[in-house]
Amino acid sequence: MTTDKTAVLKQLYPEDILSIAKGLTDGEVQLLQQLNDLLESKYRPDINQHWVDATVPEDYFKDIGALQYFTNPLLYQGREDAKTPSQLFQFFMSYTIARFDVSLATLLGVHQGLGHNTFLFGGSPEQVAKYVPKLQSHELRTCFALTEPDHGSDVAGGLETVAERHGDEWVINGAKKWIGGAHVSDVIPVFAVNKETGKPHCFVVTPDQDGVEIDVLQHKIALRIVPNAEIRLKNVKVKEADRLQNITSFKDIAKILYSTRAGVAYMATGALAGTLRASLNYVKQRKQFGKSISQYQLIQEKLAMIQGNLTHAMAMSAQLARMQENGEYDEVATSTAKMMNALRLRESVAMGRGITGGNGILAGEQDIARFFSDAEAIYTYEGTHEMNALVIGRALTGVSAFV
């Protein structure tokens, strides 16, 4: 590793005490530095206010797309035969954004993970060629319309949105909920059950179609920057050509979820780093009883625990990235990483909030308030703690305890 790269990594990821980032290439580090500089220079001054106001920072989607994080030549220096960015880079990209703000990481994760992979895995060759390059460049924006008002983790057995075929056309009726960015998406992959066969399909819908109504959910206590929406579909007509041809079973849907669950583990890790940074920034400037609170033993013990939780999460995420780089997309591994990293995050934000005292509940002034609240969303989405535990328990015992 060059001296310049060593210096950059020390400045960029000072909390990486296991030196995991050393595995990144020079080009990857350069792009991650560009990403971090963009976040800090353009979005840092107003990020807390955006959270309070539940508004998405203007230009965010365009600015991230301009980094060309799928195709940038910097990502392929020394790995010219690769077709996708490395998994380690993907970990650190998600980590870097989540360390800054979990909502912004979630907005991108929905687009580049769940949404993009639905088209990549579910589309025919012609559909992949039509949509995927534009999704990767951010020319098109997408989301992931699976969850329903009355169904969350049980959606595989309880999908109530129905599609009925009439010749070369499908008619869709139903509703979706918690769909991040639906109202600003150019294309919405909507999952529905074939009324005749009971098998799930996925249809490409646009927000302005007849019969599509979208309302943004209000009064959230977490991920306030993310505009989650409820979609109502009444006699929405979709041509057979706009059905993603390779999604014909719940196993196909599970493949998409498995491919992105690691991303949630990465986000939880980044949020841990954000928690540590927010706590450190506070203790270095706060004085009580005549001296900086950073000098008190109880404060240092809490900071050490947050660092320890972060280090465990980084190590687990890095190993998961290595496995997936080798094509090992294991549901038990991803569920373990998501479950444990989110649990350690929840524990750490409570300590960080405690460190900051009463000031820590002021979301407009202290970063820790954002991370404290947003941890609740990470703990829940992409499989609740309990659902991921049951995935692991089934593997350990050979017995399914879901129902």
Side-chain angles (χ1 to χ4, degrees):
M1 186 167 66
T2 64
T3 302
D4 286 347
K5 178 181 170 183
T6 302
V8 169
L9 288 177
K10 186 175 181 179
Q11 184 273 331
L12 192 57
Y13 302 115
E15 69 277 6
D16 179 19
I17 62 175
L18 296 182
S19 299
I20 293 168
K22 285 184 178 180
L24 294 164
T25 66
D26 288 357
E28 290 171 337
V29 172
Q30 188 175 337
L31 189 56
L32 288 167
Q33 187 173 31
Q34 291 176 17
L35 169 63
N36 187 70
D37 289 347
L38 168 68
L39 295 172
E40 294 295 337
S41 64
K42 185 169 183 177
Y43 297 109
R44 174 63 70 187
D46 301 317
I47 191 63
N48 285 332
Q49 196 60 48
H50 278 295
W51 194 94
V52 171
D53 295 340
T55 55
V56 180
E58 188 176 357
D59 295 335
Y60 172 69
F61 190 72
K62 181 185 71 175
D63 286 344
I64 297 298
L67 293 174
Q68 300 176 299
Y69 58 90
F70 275 105
T71 59
N72 196 307
L74 289 171
L75 302 178
Y76 298 94
Q77 293 177 359
R79 50 190 307 272
E80 285 76 12
D81 293 334
K83 296 181 179 179
T84 60
S86 75
Q87 289 290 328
L88 189 63
F89 169 79
Q90 292 181 52
F91 161 46
F92 273 99
M93 180 176 177
S94 179
Y95 174 98
T96 301
I97 300 176
R99 183 179 64 178
F100 181 81
D101 181 74
V102 180
S103 290
L104 296 186
T106 302
L107 281 170
L108 185 62
V110 169
H111 172 82
Q112 74 164 151
L114 290 168
H116 167 269
N117 286 357
T118 298
F119 287 89
L120 181 65
F121 298 164
S124 65
E126 294 78 15
Q127 289 170 326
V128 170
K130 177 181 179 180
Y131 290 110
V132 168
K134 293 181 178 180
L135 293 170
Q136 292 184 350
S137 67
H138 287 205
E139 181 179 344
L140 289 178
R141 185 168 182 169
T142 191
C143 56
F144 184 74
L146 174 64
T147 305
E148 298 188 346
D150 296 323
H151 297 281
S153 295
D154 69 337
V155 73
L159 200 63
E160 293 185 7
T161 301
V162 173
E164 187 172 4
R165 187 165 185 173
H166 299 279
D168 195 39
E169 195 171 63
W170 295 82
V171 178
I172 305 174
N173 285 280
K176 301 294 177 179
K177 192 173 183 180
W178 299 110
I179 313 306
H183 68 305
V184 293
S185 291
D186 299 296
V187 285
I188 304 173
V190 173
F191 294 85
V193 168
N194 183 329
K195 187 174 181 180
E196 181 179 350
T197 66
K199 300 293 185 181
H201 294 315
C202 186
F203 303 88
V204 182
V205 173
T206 59
D208 59 355
Q209 276 187 247
D210 290 341
V212 177
E213 294 183 4
I214 301 176
D215 291 320
V216 175
L217 301 174
Q218 303 296 322
H219 312 304
K220 296 190 302 173
I221 68 164
L223 299 184
R224 289 182 53 78
I225 292 174
V226 178
N228 291 99
E230 183 167 2
I231 306 173
R232 291 179 294 279
L233 307 119
K234 185 176 181 180
N235 296 323
V236 177
K237 296 179 180 179
V238 179
K239 294 180 179 180
E240 165 64 11
D242 290 323
R243 178 178 68 83
L244 296 182
Q245 299 296 306
N246 291 325
I247 295 178
T248 57
S249 71
F250 285 106
K251 286 186 177 180
D252 296 327
I253 299 174
K255 181 181 178 182
I256 299 167
L257 294 172
Y258 294 157
S259 74
T260 58
R261 189 159 292 145
V264 184
Y266 300 164
M267 275 189 250
T269 308
L272 270 162
T275 298
L276 179 62
R277 178 170 291 186
S279 301
L280 280 170
N281 287 341
Y282 183 83
V283 302
K284 289 177 181 179
Q285 56 85 27
R286 178 67 170 174
K287 292 184 178 180
Q288 289 286 279
F289 301 104
K291 62 181 180 180
S292 169
I293 66 171
S294 65
Q295 296 177 249
Y296 290 104
Q297 291 180 355
L298 289 176
I299 296 295
Q300 291 199 5
E301 188 268 347
K302 288 182 174 63
L303 292 170
M305 288 295 296
I306 297 172
Q307 174 70 75
N309 285 343
L310 170 59
T311 302
H312 281 150
M314 290 190 78
M316 188 176 293
S317 294
Q319 179 58 24
L320 195 60
R322 294 185 195 102
M323 291 174 64
Q324 295 194 164
E325 187 73 26
N326 294 327
E328 301 173 51
Y329 288 85
D330 183 84
E331 66 171 334
V332 177
T334 56
S335 287
T336 301
K338 191 276 175 180
M339 181 184 76
M340 294 308 301
N341 290 3
L343 189 63
R344 296 286 79 83
L345 169 63
R346 207 183 194 201
E347 177 184 69
S348 295
V349 293
M351 288 188 284
R353 225 291 304 149
I355 287 171
T356 55
N359 290 327
I361 66 173
L362 298 174
E365 298 179 17
Q366 298 297 330
D367 291 337
I368 192 63
R370 277 189 295 118
F371 289 107
F372 180 82
S373 297
D374 290 346
E376 289 303 295
I378 291 184
Y379 185 73
T380 296
Y381 68 49
E382 274 286 354
T384 63
H385 173 87
E386 290 77 12
M387 290 298 106
N388 281 297
L390 292 179
V391 169
I392 301 163
R394 180 177 60 190
L396 289 170
T397 65
V399 180
S400 176
F402 285 92
V403 293

